[in-house]
Amino acid sequence: MKRVLAVQRISRDTEASSALTRQEEALTLAIRRDGCTEVARVVDATVSGAVNLDQRPSLRKWLAEPLVHEWDVLMVTDQDRITRDDMHWWRFVDWILKNGKDIRVLADPAFDIRSEDGRILAGVKAAQAAKYRKAVQAQQLDRTRYFRENGLWNGGIWPFGYRAETFSHLGEPRKRLVVDPCTSQLVREAFERIVHGGDTVYAVARDWNGRGVPSARDHQRREQNKGLPGHERRPEKGTRWSVTPLRNMLRSPALTGVMMHRSEPVLDAEGQPVVWADAVLTPEQFAALQDAILTEPGEGKPRQGGSRRTPLLGVVFCICGRPMYARDQKNRLADGTLRVLTYYQCRSLSEMDRCDAPSVWRAESLCRTVEQRFLDEAGDRSEMRRTYAPGRDHSAAIAELRGALANLTTAIGRAVSPMAVEALTQQMDEHVKTITRLEAELAAPARRLEEPTGAPCRERWRAMEDWEARATFLRRTGVRFYCEGTHRSGDVHMYLPTTLRRPVHDVGEGEGVSGIECHDEGARRFFLGLRRAKGLGPGFWYAR
């Protein structure tokens, strides 16, 4: 009796989709009809057909030890449920034949990969599926590009603080983002509480949960459900706020009206962020919020309930990308005394999905290494203070003055008194002078600056009394450390932002560095390059 591994996959599964249900019914019926033994039902929902099989969340474990020996036949409803990439298909066929497995496709009773003719036909179908997938991707990319260039909303979850409204664009109904009167007030409330009120992100999340503030997705569904009959309404998920999604939302440049794609700002031809909506927070407010989040009160202080604090949290990471947390290990010596050792370990050690080689370092050894690496590389370089220069754009003022000139011209034509004409003419002359002056001033976007304090980082470091203060300093400057192995046989790789790579004598007093890189983006590129150099996959990226 054949042991069957029933596989279901769909690229995008929603409540209205019945594709998974139809696959489930067809597979169940075929297994009962043929009298096979179903080993397991593998379901990969919202997984693209371009994802390799050994990287799929549910299927991959059945292609490796020890589960690979528990099945004989992989059963699917259609061939493209296995993959829509022809190169992945041929590698999988080779793997199937070498491991003595077989594939059954319910929609194709003549499917046979054990004969040469059968493999040729299956290969043609795989190439057709790959061609179709690429054509769909090209259409989606063209649509996305068109929508970006015209500042149109392409669909999806509204950025918190905004909503999509329908308007006429070139005679066709399209959507654009506008400030949402409800969620924008919540964003401003969070800004006031964190920046001016001293609250933490955790305190805001807890309060919002107590007040029943819906998540971005639930708010959008609630708004879209208005006016719909009951059977067409999509249910709310009831998702509660937690620290990570709230922090990510508050750290997104989308709050300033910037167009985002895959959590990164979309840049124009000149390298400037594309603005496609009114700002919920001004650039100055957004900058103040970022500084407040990175150094919010309570960070680095002992927690309630006696739980272990982690001073270097957000500074040291495992080579897999996960943060490292501090833990205490108690050892009782032969003489009966108790010795407590503190370690930093990869967070995956406390999770079910552990990384391949979780890093564990003695705290004193790791702190010593961090201090030595940082001072060796940046000790003699200027400490930089991050500031933000507000943008300068007089287009609105110029348009307003031109409108005033038109009104004054009309008023002069109706005036009957010479004194009135003279007064109106003088006012018009003043407006013309102002317009000329404003047009002569070049527009400048809001930009982030790094200004030197005049003191080397080594002096600032030595003035700090403890590791909580030093860790806060490292977080604010964007420094990260990626650890591999242990303190006995391991290594630590440091990411240093470009603004700290200039010696102190290369930056004059009062001189600023504009157009600096985003610390998180620079660290992400460093991390991916480090993983790539070691022959590893993309890993887990955590933005701070």
Side-chain angles (χ1 to χ4, degrees):
M1 184 177 293
K2 293 291 185 179
R3 299 175 299 171
V4 172
L5 181 66
V7 176
Q8 301 171 222
R9 183 192 65 80
I10 189 171
S11 296
R12 183 172 298 174
D13 187 26
T14 65
E15 289 76 2
S17 173
S18 59
L20 285 178
T21 303
R22 293 196 302 269
Q23 292 179 49
E24 180 182 9
E25 293 174 351
L27 291 170
T28 301
L29 181 62
I31 291 172
R32 290 177 181 174
R33 183 181 61 242
D34 298 343
C36 301
T37 300
E38 181 177 346
V39 175
R41 184 65 58 96
V42 177
V43 180
D44 279 321
T46 67
V47 176
S48 169
V51 178
N52 208 344
L53 286 83
D54 58 4
Q55 296 179 4
R56 295 183 182 170
S58 301
L59 180 59
R60 62 185 179 187
K61 62 183 179 182
W62 291 95
L63 305 180
E65 299 283 354
L67 298 180
V68 67
H69 303 295
E70 297 188 7
W71 59 278
D72 305 310
V73 179
L74 186 145
M75 182 183 291
V76 291
T77 55
D78 297 278
Q79 182 178 333
D80 60 7
R81 296 301 176 188
I82 298 177
T83 181
R84 283 186 177 272
D85 187 295
D86 51 340
M87 301 308 296
H88 291 172
W89 166 257
W90 284 117
R91 284 196 291 268
F92 184 61
V93 168
D94 181 65
W95 182 90
I96 285 286
L97 296 176
K98 287 182 178 178
N99 287 272
K101 308 292 184 182
D102 200 359
I103 300 174
R104 183 178 174 192
V105 179
L106 300 183
D108 186 2
F111 181 88
D112 180 19
I113 61 170
R114 299 201 170 274
S115 67
E116 293 181 352
D117 291 341
R119 287 196 294 273
I120 291 175
L121 293 175
V124 171
K125 292 182 178 179
Q128 290 174 340
K131 184 177 180 180
Y132 173 77
R133 176 180 60 83
K134 292 177 181 178
V136 171
Q137 285 181 338
Q139 292 176 356
Q140 292 176 340
L141 289 174
D142 288 342
R143 173 185 170 89
T144 300
R145 186 181 303 108
Y146 173 79
F147 274 61
R148 286 183 194 165
E149 291 174 352
N150 291 273
L152 305 176
W153 177 244
N154 198 22
I157 304 301
W158 300 339
F160 201 75
Y162 296 89
R163 62 180 299 149
E165 72 167 11
T166 303
F167 76 111
S168 178
H169 177 73
L170 301 179
E172 296 185 6
R174 298 295 186 188
K175 291 186 177 181
R176 60 186 175 192
L177 284 183
V178 296
V179 175
D180 182 82
C182 177
T183 54
S184 63
Q185 291 300 319
L186 290 168
V187 172
R188 296 187 183 103
E189 173 195 326
F191 164 77
E192 292 293 337
R193 293 177 60 173
I194 295 174
V195 175
H196 301 300
D199 276 349
T200 63
V201 175
Y202 171 77
V204 174
R206 182 177 58 184
D207 178 60
W208 283 8
N209 287 330
R211 291 158 48 188
V213 174
S215 65
R217 184 188 297 269
D218 283 347
H219 171 75
Q220 180 173 343
R221 288 191 174 180
R222 182 175 301 179
E223 293 297 311
Q224 292 174 336
N225 285 336
K226 292 180 179 178
L228 295 178
H231 66 280
E232 294 184 9
R233 296 181 180 179
R234 300 179 64 186
E236 298 177 15
K237 297 291 187 179
T239 305
R240 292 173 61 83
W241 288 97
S242 59
V243 172
T244 299
L246 179 55
R247 180 184 288 118
N248 291 342
M249 182 272 288
L250 294 175
R251 297 198 63 196
S252 173
L255 297 178
T256 61
V258 172
M259 181 184 294
M260 303 293 291
H261 178 64
R262 294 183 178 178
S263 301
E264 296 295 335
V266 177
L267 306 180
D268 59 20
E270 298 179 355
Q272 297 298 327
V274 176
V275 177
W276 66 344
D278 293 335
V280 175
L281 298 178
T282 66
E284 295 77 13
Q285 291 173 330
F286 183 74
L289 180 60
Q290 306 317 299
D291 290 339
I293 290 176
L294 288 176
T295 58
E296 62 183 15
E299 187 170 354
K301 296 182 180 179
R303 300 180 180 179
Q304 298 296 326
S307 59
R308 188 72 178 89
R309 66 183 182 183
T310 303
L312 290 176
L313 183 61
V315 175
V316 293
F317 297 80
C318 176
I319 192 67
C320 73
R322 294 181 174 94
M324 295 181 69
Y325 284 80
R327 68 172 181 88
D328 291 334
Q329 178 175 314
K330 299 179 181 180
N331 297 321
R332 191 167 296 278
L333 303 181
D335 58 0
T337 59
L338 188 66
R339 183 178 65 173
V340 180
L341 298 177
T342 302
Y343 290 84
Y344 273 85
Q345 65 180 28
C346 175
R347 193 179 78 176
S348 70
L349 288 175
S350 60
E351 300 175 345
M352 295 185 64
D353 185 17
R354 293 191 177 187
C355 72
D356 296 334
S359 182
V360 179
W361 280 65
R362 285 274 295 273
E364 59 268 26
S365 178
L366 181 58
C367 289
R368 184 169 56 250
T369 303
V370 166
E371 180 176 28
Q372 179 180 349
R373 293 285 177 86
F374 178 73
L375 293 181
D376 286 348
E377 293 292 330
D380 296 329
R381 314 196 180 202
S382 175
E383 177 194 354
M384 306 296 288
R385 180 188 298 110
R386 174 167 289 196
T387 60
Y388 294 81
R392 184 176 64 249
D393 184 2
H394 301 308
S395 57
I398 292 174
E400 184 177 352
L401 289 172
R402 291 188 183 280
L405 282 175
N407 293 334
L408 290 173
T409 301
T410 303
I412 289 177
R414 296 175 180 175
V416 294
S417 169
M419 294 182 60
V421 172
E422 183 180 359
L424 292 173
T425 302
Q426 291 178 353
Q427 192 172 357
M428 289 182 66
D429 291 340
E430 292 296 329
H431 285 351
V432 170
K433 292 179 181 178
T434 304
I435 291 175
T436 304
R437 178 177 57 81
L438 293 179
E439 288 180 339
E441 296 181 8
L442 297 177
R447 62 195 186 280
R448 188 166 13 190
L449 303 174
E450 294 279 358
E451 297 180 347
T453 63
C457 291
R458 191 184 308 276
E459 295 182 4
R460 174 68 185 277
W461 185 271
R462 290 173 177 171
M464 300 175 191
E465 299 179 355
D466 51 35
W467 274 98
E468 282 80 1
R470 292 175 175 178
T472 299
F473 172 71
L474 293 174
R475 279 190 294 270
R476 295 187 67 174
T477 53
V479 179
R480 284 191 180 210
F481 294 86
Y482 294 96
C483 308
E484 57 178 328
T486 69
H487 55 280
R488 292 190 179 93
S489 58
D491 198 2
V492 175
H493 308 273
M494 181 179 67
Y495 163 71
L496 198 65
T498 54
T499 50
L500 280 179
R501 298 174 196 164
R502 299 181 65 185
V504 64
H505 54 75
D506 285 351
V507 183
E509 185 69 29
E511 177 188 354
V513 181
S514 63
I516 65 171
E517 68 178 340
C518 170
H519 289 166
D520 274 348
E521 174 61 17
R524 186 183 70 85
R525 294 176 181 174
F526 174 85
F527 169 69
L528 293 177
L530 176 63
R531 297 271 302 180
R532 193 180 305 113
K534 294 182 175 295
L536 303 174
F540 301 86
W541 169 250
Y542 281 83
R544 289 188 295 196

